[in-house]
Amino acid sequence: MQDMIVILDFGSQYTQLIARRIREINVYCEIHPWNKIPELGSHVKGVILSGSPFSTRDPKAPQPDLSKIKGKIPLLGICFGAQYMAQHFGGEVLPSTIREYGRAMLSSVDHQHPLTQGMNANTQVWMSHGDTIKVVPANYRILASTKDVEVAAYHIEGEDSFGVQFHPEVYHSTEGSRLISNFVINIAGCAPNWTPDSFVESTVKQLQEKLGNDKVILGLSGGVDSSVAALLLHKAIAKNLYCIFVDNGLLRKNEFDSVLDSYREMGLQVKGVRAAQQFYAALKGKTDPEEKRKAIGKVFIDVFDAESHLIEDANWLAQGTIYPDVIESVSVDGGPSQTIKSHHNVGGLPDYMKLKIVEPLRLLFKDEVRRVGRSMNMPENILNRHPFPGPGLGIRILGEVTEEKVRTLQEVDAIFIDGLKEHGHYDEVWQAGAILLPVQSVGVMGDERTYENAVALRAVSSTDGMTADWCHLPYDFLANTSSKIINQVKGVNRVTYDISSKPPATIEWE
């Protein structure tokens, strides 16, 4: 089996970053809640304990059972994880006299130790803690310190167990990736061979074993996730994959026909279904974002169910679910995670759809999905498409959705996206789009007073969509785009640019 690292999550905001850093060095890892430790077979080469919003001194703090881990396989505790191992095994953790949050500099580092080898004194690390390790047990050897924190890193002598008070997974820890690589490869002994090509090879084999000669239905969205899932399944089961691409009337301008052509050029067996009027009817009178999402989701399932019944003896439904969706659906206390907004492909199927689920991408982050697609020679126009919400323009029209509003927004969006491509900005942007605002604004066009629609343009940079920053597009480009929109799109007389980051805002407005 593939070498892997298990990350036990205690609720840290940075847990996904630990996984990403490990994947970046071509080693496979998985995140599991601290109270649902998986079977640790011989392929599990090490375990990492994440940080946590809890204090180790809190009676309600997580109390993981490390009896089958500590001293048996390599173990690295980060922040809370390091404090837990110190306190639980005979040390003392107390509130910090100086709360350390943000950048700090290591004042001393043991350069010879396998964990910190290659790291420099005065290197920058990222701290985020209100407690500190005041006393370590007798066999705990200090490996690094800062001016304010004596125990910034330690080694439990006699076993491959370690703790670091800082967050090596965070970008601001400038040599954090080196420490993680030291632990994962040099100490845990993982082979760095988890690559896109190896993922494709192993996944295709697993799909063939799992699906056999069964028929699989896949709902394509036009996005990279469902498209890469389709290519993987096509490699595995060829003509037993039946793809359905639904035009919900909420796609970008001319997108349905162009994407459908691309899918057919890729060799996929795909049926296009035009169902815009059904979606418009379901959205009539609805203004609440969640009500709109649910209405769009219900009509999609109804249309998809009707089409799936035309495929005889289908047993499976394939989905393009990716790892962030999976992680967000499981909380560290085993209960339901807080829902920011509903996902269109997470949460199962209605009981009447008697299909089993197959999700070939459920262990990949978004950038990994793209690398896998590239390794299978997926066309760039599909592979490099910006993420697009499942409900489409339905949640970029604030307020009630009508066919006329959709046409207006499609024209605005097309000018913006085409402009990004024409001026070389498209590939620098993670996601971009236009939002039709539920307000009208006074303007002057010619010698006449107008009272027409306002739109907002949104462009963000991100790695995986979990956090995002607004893109600093050139003023000249924004001015030119605004002028084109106002002059070419009837009914729009004002253009704004959204300069909010995530958090506290979200990428989409609804």
Side-chain angles (χ1 to χ4, degrees):
M1 295 181 70
Q2 180 78 48
D3 288 354
M4 70 177 286
I5 298 290
V6 167
I7 302 163
L8 298 183
D9 180 27
F10 297 91
S12 170
Q13 61 181 317
Y14 302 135
T15 301
Q16 288 198 40
L17 293 179
I18 303 172
R20 294 187 58 78
R21 295 294 173 261
I22 296 172
R23 300 268 183 104
E24 285 169 1
I25 54 177
N26 295 330
V27 172
Y28 180 63
C29 62
E30 290 182 2
I31 297 171
H32 293 269
W34 67 269
N35 56 351
K36 295 182 180 179
I37 300 174
E39 285 295 320
L40 302 176
S42 60
H43 64 295
V44 177
K45 301 299 184 182
V47 173
I48 294 179
L49 310 180
S50 82
S52 175
F54 285 99
S55 163
T56 54
R57 299 174 300 103
D58 188 334
K60 297 180 180 179
Q63 299 287 326
D65 178 6
L66 302 180
S67 60
K68 295 181 180 179
I69 303 172
K70 184 176 174 294
K72 297 178 173 61
I73 60 175
L75 174 64
L76 173 64
I78 294 175
C79 196
F80 173 90
Q83 292 178 357
Y84 176 82
M85 286 198 294
Q87 178 172 282
H88 190 72
F89 296 101
E92 187 176 23
V93 175
L94 295 173
S96 302
T97 54
I98 300 175
R99 187 173 185 272
E100 208 166 29
Y101 182 84
R103 296 171 176 84
M105 308 300 287
L106 294 184
S107 56
S108 65
V109 179
D110 185 340
H111 308 286
Q112 305 304 315
H113 193 277
L115 182 70
T116 49
Q117 187 175 17
M119 296 181 68
N120 297 305
N122 299 317
T123 190
Q124 178 180 284
V125 295
W126 184 262
M127 294 285 190
S128 179
H129 60 98
D131 294 340
T132 193
I133 302 169
K134 286 294 185 183
V135 180
V136 293
N139 62 331
Y140 282 44
R141 173 185 166 193
I142 297 174
L143 302 178
S145 304
T146 71
K147 178 173 65 71
D148 298 312
V149 176
E150 181 184 5
V151 187
Y154 64 73
H155 173 207
I156 304 178
E157 294 182 316
E159 58 187 76
D160 285 332
S161 298
F162 312 87
V164 292
Q165 181 63 78
F166 56 90
H167 287 271
E169 70 274 24
V170 173
Y171 172 78
H172 299 92
S173 290
T174 52
E175 294 181 322
S177 293
R178 182 183 295 274
L179 185 143
I180 290 174
S181 178
N182 285 343
F183 175 76
V184 170
I185 294 178
N186 299 340
I187 295 172
C190 290
N193 56 11
W194 193 69
T195 63
D197 288 341
S198 69
F199 175 83
V200 171
E201 182 181 352
S202 61
T203 302
V204 167
K205 183 178 179 181
Q206 290 166 10
L207 289 170
Q208 289 170 336
E209 292 171 353
K210 182 175 187 175
L211 302 174
N213 200 38
D214 288 354
K215 293 179 180 178
V216 178
I217 303 171
L218 170 63
L220 288 167
S221 68
V224 65
D225 298 339
S226 65
S227 302
V228 172
L231 265 189
L232 277 168
L233 285 158
H234 181 69
K235 274 182 169 287
I237 60 173
K239 290 297 183 181
N240 275 344
L241 174 65
Y242 295 80
C243 298
I244 299 171
F245 183 32
V246 177
D247 178 8
N248 59 10
L250 305 169
L251 301 173
R252 286 183 155 130
K253 183 179 179 181
N254 301 325
E255 188 171 49
F256 180 71
D257 290 323
S258 64
V259 172
L260 198 57
D261 289 342
S262 294
Y263 282 144
R264 287 169 176 159
E265 289 170 6
M266 289 161 57
L268 297 176
Q269 183 175 228
V270 56
K271 179 179 181 181
V273 181
R274 295 188 183 275
Q277 295 306 318
Q278 291 171 249
F279 286 88
Y280 293 152
L283 288 166
K284 187 174 182 180
K286 290 183 172 57
T287 58
D288 179 78
E290 278 301 297
E291 284 187 11
K292 291 195 291 185
R293 285 174 180 271
K294 288 174 182 175
I296 292 167
K298 182 181 183 304
V299 176
F300 177 82
I301 288 174
D302 290 344
V303 172
F304 193 85
D305 184 51
E307 291 296 326
S308 68
H309 277 95
L310 302 178
I311 303 168
E312 295 182 3
D313 304 321
N315 304 102
W316 298 85
L317 173 73
Q319 293 189 142
T321 308
I322 61 175
Y323 205 27
D325 301 332
V326 176
I327 296 167
E328 287 176 357
S329 68
V330 180
S331 68
V332 296
D333 62 3
S337 300
Q338 181 182 7
T339 300
I340 305 301
K341 57 183 72 169
S342 54
H343 288 277
H344 65 281
N345 64 340
V346 177
L349 293 170
D351 290 338
Y352 61 80
M353 290 186 73
K354 306 298 182 182
L355 295 172
K356 294 176 283 187
I357 299 290
V358 57
E359 297 169 316
L361 305 178
R362 66 180 284 109
L363 297 176
L364 297 185
F365 290 100
K366 175 71 79 173
D367 56 320
E368 294 172 331
V369 173
R370 284 200 170 95
R371 289 202 293 270
V372 166
R374 187 164 286 112
S375 76
M376 295 189 293
N377 299 315
M378 174 172 281
E380 291 294 319
N381 67 312
I382 295 288
L383 191 63
N384 291 329
R385 287 182 77 236
H386 290 172
F388 190 66
L393 301 181
I395 57 166
R396 291 184 177 175
I397 296 170
L398 276 56
E400 184 180 8
V401 177
T402 66
E403 189 171 0
E404 181 183 359
K405 289 180 180 179
V406 170
R407 281 199 298 268
T408 298
L409 187 56
Q410 283 177 332
E411 295 298 329
V412 172
D413 180 85
I415 291 171
F416 185 32
I417 298 301
D418 289 348
L420 288 171
K421 292 177 179 177
E422 180 183 343
H423 289 85
H425 301 307
Y426 186 83
D427 291 339
E428 300 168 2
V429 173
W430 160 265
Q431 186 170 347
I435 299 94
L436 185 63
L437 305 180
V439 295
Q440 290 186 305
S441 105
V442 175
V444 177
M445 301 183 81
D447 293 324
E448 296 183 4
R449 178 180 181 276
T450 63
Y451 193 58
E452 295 180 332
N453 295 305
V455 297
L457 306 182
R458 179 83 159 134
V460 299
S461 59
S462 180
T463 301
D464 54 19
M466 302 304 296
T467 60
D469 210 353
W470 62 278
C471 289
H472 295 236
L473 295 174
Y475 290 156
D476 287 348
F477 169 77
L478 290 172
N480 184 53
T481 302
S482 173
S483 178
K484 278 188 176 181
I485 290 169
I486 291 171
N487 284 301
Q488 296 179 22
V489 183
K490 185 178 179 182
V492 175
N493 71 353
R494 190 175 298 271
V495 177
T496 65
Y497 186 56
D498 182 350
I499 58 170
S500 310
S501 295
K502 175 187 179 181
T506 55
I507 294 176
E508 299 294 340
W509 280 42
E510 289 192 340

